[in-house]
Amino acid sequence: MALFLLIFSVIIFTCIFFNKFSGKVGIPVLLFFLMLGFLCGSRNDDFAANWGWVVGNISTIALVFIMFYGGFGTRWKSARPIAVEAGLLATVGVALTACFVGLFCHFVLGWAWLESFLMGAVISSTDAATVFSILRTRKLGLKNNSAPILEVESGSNDPMSYMLTAVMLSLFSGGITAGGIVWQVFAQIVFGAAGGLSIAAAAVFLLRRINFQRNGFDLLLFIATALAAYSLPELFGGNGYLSAYIVGIVLGNTDFPERKSLVSFFDAITSLMQIVIFFLLGMLAIPSNLFHSLLPALAIFIFLTLAARPLAVCGVLAPFRKYPFKQLELISFVGLRGAASIVFAINILTSGVGMQNDIFSIVFCIVLLSIAFQGSLIPAVAKATGMTDSGEDVMTTFSDFSENAEMSFGSIRIMESSSWNNRQIKDLDLPQDCIIALVVRGDLRIVPKGSTLLEAGDEIVLCTRSFQDCSTDSLIQHPLSDNSKWAGHRVCEYPQKDGNLLVMIQRGEEKIIPNGDTILEAGDVIVLLKRENAADC
């Protein structure tokens, strides 16, 4: 046991180390863990036969957290305008992709019908964790709602792929009627959706009734909720992955104090789970099988990337007539295969169903090609298609984005020689996310407008969403208690000690840029700016 725990800790340390460089080297860092698992594997079928059920259960749990985070990390406000399109891509698009790949495998590769469409079902969904990671680490701003489309589609399309895989495996086992298939599809969708909504409602009720802030049990609540979201619907024949996604998107868009920190936690957990899945994939792979599977895998990958995925995307999005061809090209290319395809392939490997083709090894090679080539080239393809937008903040599409971002203040003084001297504020070329919050002219405090004319000797207080410069002055926060003597007084009456300047009032969720006549209230948090080091401009 001690040796096992040591090995597991080394894998986690390695995960942290390589994740440090993921922003520079990109998603192919996952290939290291795949190769590490490959080196640790037993090189024969005995491992899969003896430990396959353990590997299958571990990979299923890992995928549950990936699905949960697929919903939890999505900001519904950004997703709502494209929910219909993304939902169609996640259902109809997946079905079309599976169908096209199945036809290719049958007519081009000469596979049997059932194996052909099983291959299509397994490889039909795109990988949420990979897409999320690329967009976040590269801060890849995209035009025309491309980022939310990709996020919602990749986060929600695994349940459809799972359902198609389950149906195909049922057909393989035999003894299932057409009515049985209809019932299986009905139960997967209805019980999965109903279970997800019910569990999400119960979790929201607990969040609003119980104070978890001081003991950290909110984290345990979310872990238990994610596991219950999968397991309960599965007991009744429902789609546990669909349930986990629904619960994730509801909780991720519910207001509670620790939401941002939980998004960061599940982001890290998802990265770890993805690494676990790739490591297990490598352990189960057999070199001789991979060698024989390389050519059919390459053929399927090329067809999937250049034909099946683009046809499915165009078939779903073209009727909306608001997506240019360049955008359809980008969305088609960002169809990476990853964790879900691996888990479903592992389930096939451990199912005991006899097949003529080694679907597991073929999926191994396809995922390897997808991560290595598509994952590396997404930023370049986005730029080549003209779909990048430097003014678009991709972080607004994630649920940990806060519109009421923390503010940083700095001050400068206008000199006679300054380019800002004798100019109106509206004529200044200010950086993005930077505003002039206050103009101090002698004893006069001016709340600026676009027409405000700046003069030599003015002290300008600049406000930005985040820390912008090493010369930015430090801030001091001073709360006004209920019995504060300054409650009810005007800002101009508040003492300005040691050169400090009152630049903002935090009143509940509201941030107020005050003028001299602003009335202070009990409970206000006064933000003071130390300005003795104000720069000149």
Side-chain angles (χ1 to χ4, degrees):
M1 175 59 75
L3 180 61
F4 173 79
L5 293 177
L6 178 61
I7 294 174
F8 188 67
S9 67
V10 170
I11 293 174
I12 294 177
F13 279 126
T14 308
C15 165
I16 296 171
F17 176 78
F18 275 89
N19 190 59
K20 184 73 176 176
F21 301 98
S22 63
K24 296 181 180 180
V25 302
I27 291 306
V29 71
L30 290 172
L31 299 182
F32 170 82
F33 296 98
L34 190 148
M35 292 297 107
L36 182 62
F38 186 73
L39 293 175
C40 296
S42 63
R43 304 291 194 278
N44 56 58
D45 293 322
D46 292 338
F47 182 83
N50 298 328
W51 295 95
W53 66 275
V54 176
V55 172
N57 288 333
I58 293 174
S59 60
T60 296
I61 294 172
L63 185 58
V64 168
F65 283 102
I66 292 174
M67 283 298 306
F68 179 82
Y69 177 66
F72 194 76
T74 300
R75 185 168 176 253
W76 182 245
K77 183 176 181 180
S78 299
R80 186 188 298 113
I82 50 81
V84 173
E85 297 96 306
L88 288 173
L89 281 175
T91 52
V92 178
V94 167
L96 288 174
T97 302
C99 182
F100 293 146
V101 171
L103 293 173
F104 176 82
C105 290
H106 179 73
F107 288 107
V108 177
L109 300 182
W111 291 16
W113 279 110
L114 287 181
E115 284 193 34
S116 297
F117 285 107
L118 178 61
M119 182 72 237
V122 170
I123 209 71
S124 59
S125 68
T126 58
D127 188 62
T130 305
V131 172
F132 276 38
S133 180
I134 291 175
L135 294 178
R136 290 182 75 104
T137 58
R138 301 295 183 91
K139 291 183 168 46
L140 197 59
L142 301 175
K143 297 178 181 178
N144 200 26
N145 285 326
S146 296
I149 289 176
L150 292 170
E151 289 164 21
V152 177
E153 182 218 0
S154 62
S156 61
N157 62 11
D158 293 342
M160 184 66 177
S161 179
Y162 172 71
M163 184 175 68
L164 293 175
T165 302
V167 169
M168 294 309 302
L169 283 176
S170 297
L171 291 174
F172 256 105
S173 62
I176 187 170
T177 64
I181 294 176
V182 172
W183 169 253
Q184 186 176 13
V185 172
F186 173 83
Q188 287 259 328
I189 297 173
V190 174
F191 294 161
L197 292 173
S198 301
I199 294 170
V204 171
F205 176 83
L206 290 176
L207 275 176
R208 292 176 175 173
R209 294 296 187 278
I210 303 175
N211 181 14
F212 292 103
Q213 297 182 41
R214 295 184 179 179
N215 51 27
F217 272 79
D218 54 343
L219 179 57
L220 295 180
L221 171 67
F222 278 81
I223 293 175
T225 300
L227 295 175
Y230 171 80
S231 56
L232 285 178
E234 282 286 325
L235 291 176
F236 298 96
N239 193 317
Y241 297 117
L242 175 61
S243 173
Y245 179 78
I246 291 173
V247 172
I249 202 167
V250 171
L251 294 182
N253 290 274
T254 299
D255 290 327
F256 55 93
E258 303 300 322
R259 184 179 64 181
K260 290 183 68 174
S261 62
L262 283 173
V263 170
S264 299
F265 169 79
F266 278 107
D267 189 23
I269 287 295
T270 299
S271 297
L272 178 60
M273 294 298 102
Q274 194 179 25
I275 284 168
V276 167
I277 290 175
F278 273 76
F279 182 78
L280 294 175
L281 174 65
M283 289 192 69
L284 291 174
I286 300 174
S288 59
N289 292 353
L290 295 179
F291 179 77
H292 290 88
S293 301
L294 184 58
L295 285 180
L298 182 61
I300 295 173
F301 172 73
I302 293 173
F303 176 79
L304 178 64
T305 305
L306 300 182
R309 168 75 176 175
L311 286 172
V313 169
C314 292
V316 170
L317 295 184
F320 288 92
R321 299 182 180 277
K322 61 180 180 180
Y323 298 103
F325 182 71
K326 293 291 186 182
Q327 185 173 14
L328 297 180
E329 284 183 316
L330 176 64
I331 294 174
S332 299
F333 188 82
V334 189
L336 282 75
R337 313 298 139 171
S341 297
I342 294 171
V343 173
F344 301 154
I346 291 175
N347 291 340
I348 293 174
L349 182 67
T350 58
S351 66
V353 176
M355 299 181 191
Q356 293 182 344
N357 299 282
D358 187 358
I359 289 181
F360 173 82
S361 297
I362 292 173
V363 169
F364 179 104
C365 295
I366 292 175
V367 170
L368 186 67
L369 292 168
S370 181
I371 296 297
F373 291 101
Q374 286 176 281
S376 301
L377 294 176
I378 284 177
V381 171
K383 185 176 180 179
T385 54
M387 290 304 299
T388 57
D389 186 354
S390 59
E392 184 72 24
D393 186 1
V394 70
M395 298 306 294
T396 62
T397 63
F398 295 98
S399 59
D400 57 341
F401 173 77
S402 175
E403 292 182 338
N404 297 319
E406 292 299 319
M407 296 181 180
S408 295
F409 289 89
S411 62
I412 59 175
R413 192 175 299 278
I414 305 297
M415 309 300 291
E416 287 284 353
S417 58
S418 171
S419 61
W420 286 13
N421 185 23
N422 203 33
R423 291 184 66 183
Q424 292 183 330
I425 289 178
K426 65 182 180 181
D427 297 327
L428 302 179
D429 186 19
L430 292 173
Q432 187 179 12
D433 297 329
C434 178
I435 63 171
I436 294 178
L438 196 65
V439 178
V440 181
R441 185 172 295 161
D443 294 330
L444 185 63
R445 305 163 61 89
I446 303 171
V447 177
K449 301 178 181 178
S451 58
T452 301
L453 185 68
L454 301 179
E455 300 177 2
D458 287 350
E459 184 178 356
I460 309 301
V461 178
L462 296 172
C463 175
T464 62
R465 282 182 52 196
S466 58
F467 185 84
Q468 296 291 325
D469 190 88
C470 60
S471 62
T472 300
D473 295 305
S474 60
L475 299 176
I476 302 172
Q477 292 189 352
H478 178 65
L480 293 183
S481 61
D482 293 339
N483 56 358
S484 173
K485 65 178 182 179
W486 298 111
H489 286 255
R490 294 186 299 168
V491 166
C492 63
E493 298 172 338
Y494 190 82
Q496 310 292 311
K497 297 180 180 179
D498 301 323
N500 295 337
L501 180 66
L502 198 162
V503 294
M504 191 181 75
I505 298 171
Q506 177 79 44
R507 184 171 294 164
E509 296 295 326
E510 185 180 9
K511 293 180 173 68
I512 301 171
I513 304 298
N515 58 31
D517 294 325
T518 302
I519 303 298
L520 300 173
E521 298 180 4
D524 285 351
V525 177
I526 295 173
V527 181
L528 301 172
L529 171 70
K530 285 188 68 174
R531 53 176 180 160
E532 59 262 27
N533 295 323
D536 293 333
C537 180

